[in-house]
Amino acid sequence: MSSGQLANGINAAQDDLYKERNGSAQTRSTDRTRWRMLDENGRHTWHYLQSDEEVKKWPQSTADKYFLNLPTGLPNLHEPKTALDSVRNGLSFFSNLQLPAGHWGCEYGGPMFLLPGLVITWYVTGTPIPASHSAAIKDYLYARQNEDGGWGLHIEGESSVFGTAMNYTTMRICGADAEEPRMIKARGLLHRMGGAVNGPHWAKFWLSVLGVCKWDIVNPVPPELWLMPDWVPIAPWRWWIHMRQVFLPMSYIYSRRFSYPPNALTRSLRQELFTQPYDSIDFLSHRNSISSHDNYHPKSFLLNTINFVLVHLWNPYIRAWLPRLSQRAEAHTFDLIRREDENTVYANLGPVNGPMNFLACYIHDGPDATSVARHRDRMADFLWVKDEGMLMNGTNGVQSWDTSFLIQAVCAAGLAADPAWRPMLERALAFLEAHQIRENCPEMEVCYRHVRKGAWGFSTRDQGYTVSDCTAEALKAVLMLQRYPGGGYPVLIGEERVKDAVDVLLTMQNATGGCGSYEPSRGGEWLEYLNAAEVFGRIMVEYDYPECTTAVVTALKLFQKYYPDYRRSDIDGFLSRALGYIRKAQRPDGSWYGSWGICFTYAGMFALESLSSVGETYENSERVRRGCQFFLDRQMEDGGWGESYRSCETGQWTQHEQSQVVQTAWVCIGLMEAEYPERAPIEKALRMVAGRQQKNGEWLQEAIEGVFNKSCMISYPNYKFIFPIKALGMFASRYGDLDLA
C-alpha cells in the first residue's frame, strides 16, 4: 500500500469516528472516558488520566459524561403530560449537572480565533503542550473545519483568512502533518483567498510573534498612547474594556518586537501560509491588505492616515530620536499589565488578553518568573473538552450568569418551595454568595477600573470584573430565593451586601439613560473611526445595551419592593431615564436589537419584562402591543420561533430555517411578561418546546445562541435547559398546569 493510500485510509477512518457521535468513547486521538473536569470553587480545569489506577481513583461524574457526550446513565422519566411535568423532568436532568461548588458549567465556545493565540503563546514561551491536549485540539479543529477546508470567525461562520490561517497554524504546532489531505485542502483555500498577508490585524500580530510574518506587516500599536493625559479624547482608558485590555499587552509586545527565532516548523509555515516565496514578500506593503471575507469593519480613512504617519514618521524618526519616551511607555504599560494580573488573580479579563499578558510577562520578567508560572497555570481555566475535542472558552466560564438564571427559572415556575429542589437551590445560592465581589481594586483610578464592591461578574469572583446585567440578574436571584414565600431559605447575603449591589448598579448608567456592560461609556461612538480590529463592529467604546438596561431596571424594581426607602430618589431617577432609553431604543416595527444574544428575540424578551415591571402591558401600552406583534408576525408553522445569527450581522430580522427551543422560550417569556391576552400562540409554541424534550428530561443542542460585537457568535448550551424551564413554569403559573402532550 502506498503512503498516499495509507493516509487516505487513515483519514477516512478518522472521519467515520467523527460521525459516530454517540457510539464509541474513543475519539480520533483521546479516550473520552479518561477526561475529568475539576471544579475548585468555580474554577474549571480539565485533566486527562494516564493510568487505569488514576481512572479508578477518580471516577467520571455525571456532568463529565454529559459534557463529553457519553452515556450518563440517567433514567428515562415518566412521560410528561403537563407544563410542570416537563419542568420537573427538565430540572431532574439539569440538577444532575450541578457542579460541586453549586453552579453549572458548560462550554462557552463558538469563536474560532481564541485557541491560536493560546497555542502560539505556549509555543513561543516553551510551554510543554501535553500530548492529550495537542490531540484533542486537533480533534476539535478537524471537527469544526468547514466543507471548503477552512475555518471561520466562529463555528457557524463562513471560512475566512483569519480563521483559516490561524487554525491551520495551530494544527501544525499541535503536530498535524502539512500533507494530510485536510491540511492540503485548508492550505488551498487559504491560497485562493490570497494567503496570510490578507489576514486582519490580530492574525498579523500573532504570526509576527511566531516569527512567520515580519513585524512590518502589523499596523502600529504604539504604547505611547498610554502616556496621554486622561483628558485627551482618544486616550485608551476611554475605550471599551476588552479593547483596551487587548491593546495594552499588544502594544507592549509590539514595542518590544518580540519574534520567535526561526526553526524547522516556522520556516515551513513561511512557505505554507503564503502564495509567494517568503523572501520575496514586501510585508510593509501588506499592512492594509485584507480579504473581503474578513473585512467586516473596514479601517477608516482617519485610521489609515494615522497609521501612515506612525509608520513613515513616528517609528523611524521621532520614536528613534526619543528612546526614553518608548522606554517610559513600555514601563507604564507593563505596570498596567501587572495590575490587571493582580486584580484578577491572573485569571485576566478574557482569553485574548490572558495569553498576551502571559507573553508580556515572559518577555519582561523572564521564563522562570513567578508571573509566568502563574499565567501558565491559569491558561487551563479557558480550556474545555467535549466530544469533538478541546476548545477555548470565551471567558473562564459562565458560572454566576447561568446560576442566577436557573434560580429565577425555578422561582418563576413556583417550585422553589418544593423539597425536591431545595438542596439544589441552596447550593446555587451559596455559590452566588461566595462569588459576589467584596472589594474594589487597589488604586482603581490608576488602573482605570470601575467600582466593583457588591457586584457579580460573568463567571467567578477571581475574574473580578463588574458586569451590569450579571450583577442585576444575580441580585434578582438572591432576592427571589431568600424571600420566596414559604421557602425558608437562609439569608446568606444580608441587607448591607444587597445594598452594595444596588450601589454598583446605580453607577452603570450613561447620559442617555441606557447602561453599558462593564462600566459607563467613557468615549463617543466616533472612536470607532480608530477601530483597527477589522473583524468586529462596535468594539471601541461602551454602548447602551437594551439587555443590560432592562436587567438593571427589573432588579431595581424588585429591590424597591423590599427596600422602598433606600436611595429612593436616586433609584427613581435612574429608572425614569432607563425607561426612557428602552422606549427610545424600540424600532418602529416594535423590535429591540440584541447585542449579547440572537438577537431580536433575546432583546425583546428583556424589554417586555422591564416594561411589565413598571406596569406597561399589552392592555395599556401601544409600544408593548407593537413588541408583541413583532413576535407574533414571525411565529413559524410549528408554533416556534427561529432567528438566524445573520440578524446580528445585518441588523435586520433573518429567519432561521427551523424553529429553536431557546428562542421560542424567550418569545413566550416576553409575551407572558407583557400579559398578551391570547393563550393560543403561547400554548402552541410551548407544545413544540415540550415535544422536543427527551425521555430523560434533557433538550438537545440546536443552533448557536449568543453573540458579541455584532459579528462573532458564541454558545450558551445551558440556555436550552434554563429558558424552556422558565417559560413552561410561567405558563403553568399563569394559565394552570394544562395538558401539553
Side-chain angles (χ1 to χ4, degrees):
M1 179 181 292
S2 70
S3 60
Q5 290 172 320
L6 178 60
N8 288 335
I10 291 172
N11 281 287
Q14 291 168 342
D15 285 337
D16 289 339
L17 282 169
Y18 271 122
K19 294 172 183 176
E20 192 178 349
R21 298 293 300 277
N22 295 301
S24 169
Q26 185 76 29
T27 67
R28 289 181 63 251
S29 309
T30 65
D31 182 349
R32 280 181 282 162
T33 66
R34 291 183 178 269
W35 283 106
R36 303 291 187 273
M37 198 273 282
L38 179 64
D39 168 29
E40 298 174 290
N41 192 27
R43 184 193 181 200
H44 302 157
T45 54
W46 283 86
H47 305 267
Y48 191 72
L49 307 186
Q50 299 293 333
S51 69
D52 292 341
E53 186 64 25
E54 289 177 306
V55 171
K56 184 178 179 180
K57 288 182 178 179
W58 186 359
Q60 278 187 325
S61 67
T62 300
D64 290 338
K65 294 173 184 177
Y66 175 76
F67 298 143
L68 293 161
N69 200 22
L70 294 170
T72 62
L74 295 177
N76 290 339
L77 304 171
H78 292 296
E79 184 177 353
K81 300 296 184 183
T82 68
L84 282 184
D85 287 343
S86 289
V87 169
R88 291 189 178 96
N89 283 3
L91 286 173
S92 178
F93 186 90
F94 198 48
S95 64
N96 281 285
L97 305 185
Q98 189 175 24
L99 295 171
H103 64 292
W104 282 265
C106 64
E107 68 163 296
Y108 186 49
M112 294 299 294
F113 60 89
L114 300 176
L115 264 175
L118 172 60
V119 172
I120 289 172
T121 299
W122 276 341
Y123 191 74
V124 302
T125 60
T127 301
I129 306 175
S132 57
H133 286 48
S134 292
I137 287 169
K138 287 189 294 181
D139 288 349
Y140 181 75
L141 293 182
Y142 275 139
R144 287 298 175 177
Q145 190 173 20
N146 291 335
E147 288 187 9
D148 61 10
W151 292 270
L153 184 66
H154 57 87
I155 57 174
E156 294 190 10
E158 297 174 357
S159 297
S160 63
V161 173
F162 191 17
T164 304
M166 298 305 293
N167 286 297
Y168 180 96
T169 299
T170 302
M171 294 289 289
R172 293 285 282 121
I173 292 174
C174 288
D177 192 297
E179 298 309 309
E180 288 187 21
R182 282 168 293 191
M183 296 293 284
I184 293 173
K185 191 173 185 179
R187 193 162 64 244
L189 176 68
L190 178 61
H191 288 185
R192 291 195 297 276
M193 292 188 288
V197 295
N198 283 338
H201 187 247
W202 289 11
K204 291 169 179 172
F205 168 84
W206 280 119
L207 291 175
S208 297
V209 165
L210 185 59
V212 173
C213 285
K214 295 180 180 179
W215 278 104
D216 288 347
I217 201 173
V218 181
N219 268 313
V221 195
E224 289 82 1
L225 281 179
W226 287 97
L227 298 178
M228 287 182 170
D230 287 351
W231 56 263
V232 175
I234 65 169
W237 76 275
R238 299 180 182 276
W239 302 356
W240 185 46
I241 187 68
H242 279 278
M243 192 62 199
R244 69 176 185 260
Q245 291 294 13
V246 169
F247 178 82
L248 177 64
M250 183 181 278
S251 67
Y252 178 83
I253 297 164
Y254 172 84
S255 184
R256 297 294 297 269
R257 296 297 200 278
F258 175 89
S259 191
Y260 188 69
N263 63 13
L265 175 61
T266 58
R267 289 191 187 96
S268 184
L269 285 169
R270 288 176 177 182
Q271 306 307 315
E272 296 166 34
L273 295 178
F274 306 108
T275 60
Q276 64 186 90
Y278 177 83
D279 291 336
S280 70
I281 299 172
D282 179 0
F283 284 95
L284 182 63
S285 71
H286 286 291
R287 284 187 304 108
N288 295 316
S289 300
I290 185 167
S291 165
S292 61
H293 300 280
D294 297 78
N295 203 16
Y296 180 78
H297 190 284
K299 294 189 296 295
S300 67
F301 176 79
L302 173 63
L303 180 59
N304 283 329
T305 301
I306 292 171
N307 284 337
F308 182 88
V309 171
L310 290 171
V311 167
H312 296 288
L313 180 61
W314 176 263
N315 283 346
Y317 300 110
I318 300 175
R319 197 171 197 264
W321 293 340
L322 299 171
R324 290 185 180 179
L325 181 65
S326 60
Q327 292 167 7
R328 183 179 162 214
E330 288 178 5
H332 182 54
T333 54
F334 192 77
D335 178 64
L336 293 175
I337 291 168
R338 180 84 76 202
R339 290 172 184 270
E340 158 73 355
D341 290 343
E342 292 171 352
N343 287 332
T344 61
V345 200
Y346 286 82
N348 293 130
L349 174 62
V352 179
N353 80 314
M356 289 184 184
N357 280 19
F358 178 7
L359 179 56
C361 287
Y362 180 87
I363 296 167
H364 184 276
D365 296 341
D368 299 322
T370 299
S371 61
V372 172
R374 295 196 69 180
H375 273 300
R376 187 172 278 133
D377 175 65
R378 275 293 194 177
M379 292 301 104
D381 297 23
F382 297 113
L383 296 172
W384 192 265
V385 183
K386 57 182 297 188
D387 58 329
E388 293 174 324
M390 178 174 281
L391 60 111
M392 195 170 186
N393 278 342
T395 62
N396 62 335
V398 297
Q399 294 89 320
S400 292
W401 179 247
D402 281 2
T403 301
S404 299
F405 276 131
L406 186 278
I407 291 173
Q408 293 180 43
V410 180
C411 291
L415 296 178
D418 188 331
W421 315 117
R422 185 182 182 88
M424 174 188 76
L425 293 172
E426 284 186 342
R427 292 170 59 208
L429 178 62
F431 180 83
L432 292 184
E433 187 278 328
H435 287 273
Q436 186 183 23
I437 303 170
R438 304 296 298 279
E439 68 289 314
N440 288 320
C441 295
E443 297 184 288
M444 52 187 276
E445 296 84 3
V446 175
C447 51
Y448 307 113
R449 286 292 297 272
H450 192 61
V451 294
R452 67 179 190 177
K453 182 184 178 184
W456 278 271
F458 191 61
S459 55
T460 63
R461 182 174 172 177
D462 277 359
Q463 195 263 2
Y465 273 88
T466 297
V467 185
S468 60
D469 53 354
C470 296
T471 301
E473 300 297 351
L475 177 60
K476 286 159 61 178
V478 168
L479 290 174
M480 286 179 185
L481 197 57
Q482 291 188 166
R483 292 179 175 269
Y484 192 84
Y489 285 91
V491 180
L492 300 183
I493 299 177
E495 180 176 334
E496 181 181 352
R497 290 172 62 182
V498 166
K499 289 178 177 177
D500 285 344
V502 169
D503 291 342
V504 171
L505 292 177
L506 291 175
T507 70
M508 300 300 294
Q509 193 167 45
N510 295 323
T512 57
C515 294
S517 52
Y518 292 88
E519 59 200 11
S521 180
R522 299 175 173 184
E525 189 172 358
W526 62 269
L527 281 169
E528 292 295 345
Y529 287 116
L530 304 182
N531 180 351
E534 300 163 314
V535 294
F536 305 117
R538 290 169 62 88
I539 197 174
M540 287 300 296
V541 295
E542 275 282 7
Y543 287 92
D544 301 317
Y545 299 110
E547 309 101 297
C548 295
T549 310
T550 53
V552 177
V553 166
T554 53
L556 291 177
K557 287 300 297 182
L558 183 60
F559 172 81
Q560 282 194 318
K561 178 180 177 180
Y562 302 113
Y563 303 95
D565 298 324
Y566 183 73
R567 299 187 63 177
R568 186 173 188 87
S569 61
D570 292 336
I571 293 175
D572 287 346
F574 185 107
L575 291 173
S576 176
R577 294 186 296 272
L579 289 162
Y581 161 74
I582 294 166
R583 292 163 184 149
K584 186 177 179 180
Q586 187 180 27
R587 295 183 174 190
D589 63 5
S591 68
W592 286 268
Y593 176 86
S595 296
W596 304 106
I598 301 171
C599 168
F600 297 101
T601 47
Y602 185 71
M605 170 186 67
F606 286 108
L608 292 172
E609 179 189 14
S610 67
L611 293 173
S612 175
S613 75
V614 296
E616 284 195 41
T617 65
Y618 189 91
E619 181 181 11
N620 61 24
S621 171
E622 186 271 338
R623 66 176 55 87
V624 171
R625 288 192 289 272
R626 284 192 291 119
C628 292
Q629 196 60 48
F630 176 84
F631 285 147
L632 294 166
D633 288 345
R634 289 157 179 80
Q635 190 169 21
M636 300 176 74
E637 187 175 344
D638 66 357
W641 281 266
E643 183 180 7
S644 166
Y645 74 83
R646 297 288 188 187
S647 293
C648 305
E649 296 178 335
T650 65
Q652 301 296 323
W653 174 278
T654 305
Q655 187 71 40
H656 199 284
E657 60 188 15
Q658 65 180 33
S659 60
Q660 302 291 309
V661 162
V662 171
Q663 292 168 350
T664 300
W666 288 342
V667 173
C668 289
I669 292 167
L671 292 174
M672 286 185 283
E673 290 285 4
E675 298 181 18
Y676 180 70
E678 297 181 25
R679 192 182 78 199
I682 301 171
E683 183 175 343
K684 183 179 181 182
L686 292 178
R687 286 185 187 277
M688 182 278 288
V689 171
R692 291 192 190 172
Q693 190 175 29
Q694 305 299 297
K695 292 180 180 180
N696 60 3
E698 72 171 312
W699 281 274
L700 303 180
Q701 186 64 34
E702 296 179 340
I704 203 164
E705 304 91 351
V707 64
F708 60 91
N709 300 122
K710 298 186 72 172
S711 58
C712 194
M713 308 307 130
I714 195 160
S715 301
Y716 288 83
N718 288 336
Y719 280 6
K720 65 181 177 287
F721 296 101
I722 293 166
F723 289 104
I725 286 170
K726 181 175 181 178
L728 288 161
M730 287 178 64
F731 181 84
S733 295
R734 289 173 184 263
Y735 300 111
D737 196 18
L738 304 179
D739 190 337
L740 292 182

